[in-house]
PDB file of all heavy atoms in Angstrom:
ATOM      1  N   GLY B  97      85.558  90.992 104.854  1.00 78.00           N
ATOM      2  CA  GLY B  97      84.931  91.051 106.157  1.00 78.00           C
ATOM      3  C   GLY B  97      85.118  89.715 106.841  1.00 78.00           C
ATOM      4  O   GLY B  97      84.571  88.709 106.394  1.00 78.00           O
ATOM      5  N   LEU B  98      85.888  89.697 107.894  1.00 67.00           N
ATOM      6  CA  LEU B  98      86.207  88.458 108.576  1.00 67.00           C
ATOM      7  C   LEU B  98      85.588  88.478 109.966  1.00 67.00           C
ATOM      8  O   LEU B  98      85.987  89.254 110.815  1.00 67.00           O
ATOM      9  CB  LEU B  98      87.723  88.272 108.685  1.00 67.00           C
ATOM     10  CG  LEU B  98      88.476  88.307 107.352  1.00 67.00           C
ATOM     11  CD1 LEU B  98      89.969  88.221 107.583  1.00 67.00           C
ATOM     12  CD2 LEU B  98      88.008  87.144 106.465  1.00 67.00           C
ATOM     13  N   ALA B  99      84.611  87.617 110.191  1.00 61.00           N
ATOM     14  CA  ALA B  99      83.911  87.587 111.467  1.00 61.00           C
ATOM     15  C   ALA B  99      84.872  87.244 112.596  1.00 61.00           C
ATOM     16  O   ALA B  99      85.692  86.328 112.483  1.00 61.00           O
ATOM     17  CB  ALA B  99      82.786  86.559 111.412  1.00 61.00           C
ATOM     18  N   GLY B 100      84.784  88.009 113.678  1.00 60.00           N
ATOM     19  CA  GLY B 100      85.597  87.718 114.845  1.00 60.00           C
ATOM     20  C   GLY B 100      87.042  88.152 114.733  1.00 60.00           C
ATOM     21  O   GLY B 100      87.830  87.946 115.653  1.00 60.00           O
ATOM     22  N   VAL B 101      87.399  88.771 113.630  1.00 61.00           N
ATOM     23  CA  VAL B 101      88.785  89.199 113.447  1.00 61.00           C
ATOM     24  C   VAL B 101      88.877  90.691 113.712  1.00 61.00           C
ATOM     25  O   VAL B 101      88.066  91.464 113.218  1.00 61.00           O
ATOM     26  CB  VAL B 101      89.261  88.892 112.014  1.00 61.00           C
ATOM     27  CG1 VAL B 101      90.659  89.445 111.782  1.00 61.00           C
ATOM     28  CG2 VAL B 101      89.235  87.399 111.774  1.00 61.00           C
ATOM     29  N   THR B 102      89.851  91.080 114.497  1.00 64.00           N
ATOM     30  CA  THR B 102      89.941  92.489 114.875  1.00 64.00           C
ATOM     31  C   THR B 102      90.965  93.251 114.047  1.00 64.00           C
ATOM     32  O   THR B 102      91.214  94.408 114.297  1.00 64.00           O
ATOM     33  CB  THR B 102      90.290  92.614 116.351  1.00 64.00           C
ATOM     34  OG1 THR B 102      91.503  91.899 116.598  1.00 64.00           O
ATOM     35  CG2 THR B 102      89.180  92.049 117.222  1.00 64.00           C
ATOM     36  N   GLU B 103      91.610  92.615 113.102  1.00 70.00           N
ATOM     37  CA  GLU B 103      92.511  93.331 112.208  1.00 70.00           C
ATOM     38  C   GLU B 103      91.922  93.279 110.812  1.00 70.00           C
ATOM     39  O   GLU B 103      91.756  92.202 110.250  1.00 70.00           O
ATOM     40  CB  GLU B 103      93.902  92.698 112.221  1.00 70.00           C
ATOM     41  CG  GLU B 103      94.890  93.407 111.307  1.00 70.00           C
ATOM     42  CD  GLU B 103      96.309  92.902 111.459  1.00 70.00           C
ATOM     43  OE1 GLU B 103      96.605  92.277 112.492  1.00 70.00           O
ATOM     44  OE2 GLU B 103      97.114  93.128 110.553  1.00 70.00           O
ATOM     45  N   GLN B 104      91.604  94.423 110.279  1.00 75.00           N
ATOM     46  CA  GLN B 104      90.990  94.494 108.955  1.00 75.00           C
ATOM     47  C   GLN B 104      92.077  94.580 107.894  1.00 75.00           C
ATOM     48  O   GLN B 104      92.970  95.430 107.981  1.00 75.00           O
ATOM     49  CB  GLN B 104      90.073  95.712 108.870  1.00 75.00           C
ATOM     50  CG  GLN B 104      88.938  95.679 109.869  1.00 75.00           C
ATOM     51  CD  GLN B 104      87.961  94.562 109.582  1.00 75.00           C
ATOM     52  OE1 GLN B 104      87.417  94.462 108.502  1.00 75.00           O
ATOM     53  NE2 GLN B 104      87.735  93.704 110.568  1.00 75.00           N
ATOM     54  N   PHE B 105      92.007  93.702 106.926  1.00 82.00           N
ATOM     55  CA  PHE B 105      93.023  93.674 105.886  1.00 82.00           C
ATOM     56  C   PHE B 105      92.504  94.334 104.622  1.00 82.00           C
ATOM     57  O   PHE B 105      91.307  94.296 104.333  1.00 82.00           O
ATOM     58  CB  PHE B 105      93.414  92.220 105.585  1.00 82.00           C
ATOM     59  CG  PHE B 105      93.961  91.492 106.764  1.00 82.00           C
ATOM     60  CD1 PHE B 105      93.148  90.695 107.553  1.00 82.00           C
ATOM     61  CD2 PHE B 105      95.298  91.611 107.102  1.00 82.00           C
ATOM     62  CE1 PHE B 105      93.648  90.030 108.662  1.00 82.00           C
ATOM     63  CE2 PHE B 105      95.809  90.951 108.201  1.00 82.00           C
ATOM     64  CZ  PHE B 105      94.985  90.162 108.982  1.00 82.00           C
ATOM     65  N   PHE B 106      93.425  94.886 103.872  1.00 89.00           N
ATOM     66  CA  PHE B 106      93.073  95.527 102.615  1.00 89.00           C
ATOM     67  C   PHE B 106      93.893  94.928 101.481  1.00 89.00           C
ATOM     68  O   PHE B 106      95.026  94.503 101.677  1.00 89.00           O
ATOM     69  CB  PHE B 106      93.343  97.038 102.674  1.00 89.00           C
ATOM     70  CG  PHE B 106      92.394  97.778 103.566  1.00 89.00           C
ATOM     71  CD1 PHE B 106      92.654  97.914 104.914  1.00 89.00           C
ATOM     72  CD2 PHE B 106      91.232  98.326 103.049  1.00 89.00           C
ATOM     73  CE1 PHE B 106      91.770  98.589 105.749  1.00 89.00           C
ATOM     74  CE2 PHE B 106      90.349  99.011 103.864  1.00 89.00           C
ATOM     75  CZ  PHE B 106      90.613  99.138 105.220  1.00 89.00           C
ATOM     76  N   GLY B 107      93.284  94.910 100.314  1.00 92.00           N
ATOM     77  CA  GLY B 107      94.050  94.591  99.125  1.00 92.00           C
ATOM     78  C   GLY B 107      94.991  95.743  98.821  1.00 92.00           C
ATOM     79  O   GLY B 107      94.860  96.830  99.394  1.00 92.00           O
ATOM     80  N   PRO B 108      95.916  95.537  97.908  1.00 93.00           N
ATOM     81  CA  PRO B 108      96.903  96.574  97.590  1.00 93.00           C
ATOM     82  C   PRO B 108      96.333  97.737  96.799  1.00 93.00           C
ATOM     83  O   PRO B 108      97.004  98.757  96.644  1.00 93.00           O
ATOM     84  CB  PRO B 108      97.962  95.822  96.777  1.00 93.00           C
ATOM     85  CG  PRO B 108      97.223  94.676  96.186  1.00 93.00           C
ATOM     86  CD  PRO B 108      96.189  94.286  97.193  1.00 93.00           C
ATOM     87  N   GLY B 109      95.098  97.610  96.309  1.00 95.00           N
ATOM     88  CA  GLY B 109      94.466  98.710  95.602  1.00 95.00           C
ATOM     89  C   GLY B 109      94.673  98.680  94.111  1.00 95.00           C
ATOM     90  O   GLY B 109      95.629  98.090  93.600  1.00 95.00           O
ATOM     91  N   THR B 110      93.741  99.310  93.402  1.00 97.00           N
ATOM     92  CA  THR B 110      93.801  99.460  91.947  1.00 97.00           C
ATOM     93  C   THR B 110      93.632 100.925  91.612  1.00 97.00           C
ATOM     94  O   THR B 110      92.630 101.543  91.985  1.00 97.00           O
ATOM     95  CB  THR B 110      92.681  98.652  91.252  1.00 97.00           C
ATOM     96  OG1 THR B 110      92.861  97.268  91.511  1.00 97.00           O
ATOM     97  CG2 THR B 110      92.696  98.907  89.740  1.00 97.00           C
ATOM     98  N   ARG B 111      94.624 101.457  90.928  1.00 96.00           N
ATOM     99  CA  ARG B 111      94.573 102.875  90.521  1.00 96.00           C
ATOM    100  C   ARG B 111      93.935 102.948  89.142  1.00 96.00           C
ATOM    101  O   ARG B 111      94.504 102.445  88.172  1.00 96.00           O
ATOM    102  CB  ARG B 111      95.983 103.454  90.465  1.00 96.00           C
ATOM    103  CG  ARG B 111      96.067 104.876  89.924  1.00 96.00           C
ATOM    104  CD  ARG B 111      95.615 105.899  90.921  1.00 96.00           C
ATOM    105  NE  ARG B 111      96.377 105.849  92.153  1.00 96.00           N
ATOM    106  CZ  ARG B 111      96.038 106.480  93.255  1.00 96.00           C
ATOM    107  NH1 ARG B 111      94.938 107.201  93.288  1.00 96.00           N
ATOM    108  NH2 ARG B 111      96.778 106.387  94.330  1.00 96.00           N
TER     109      ARG B 111
END
Side-chain angles (χ1 to χ4, degrees):
Chain B
L98 304 176
V101 175
T102 56
E103 180 172 341
Q104 299 294 304
F105 300 96
F106 290 87
T110 297
R111 174 76 58 192

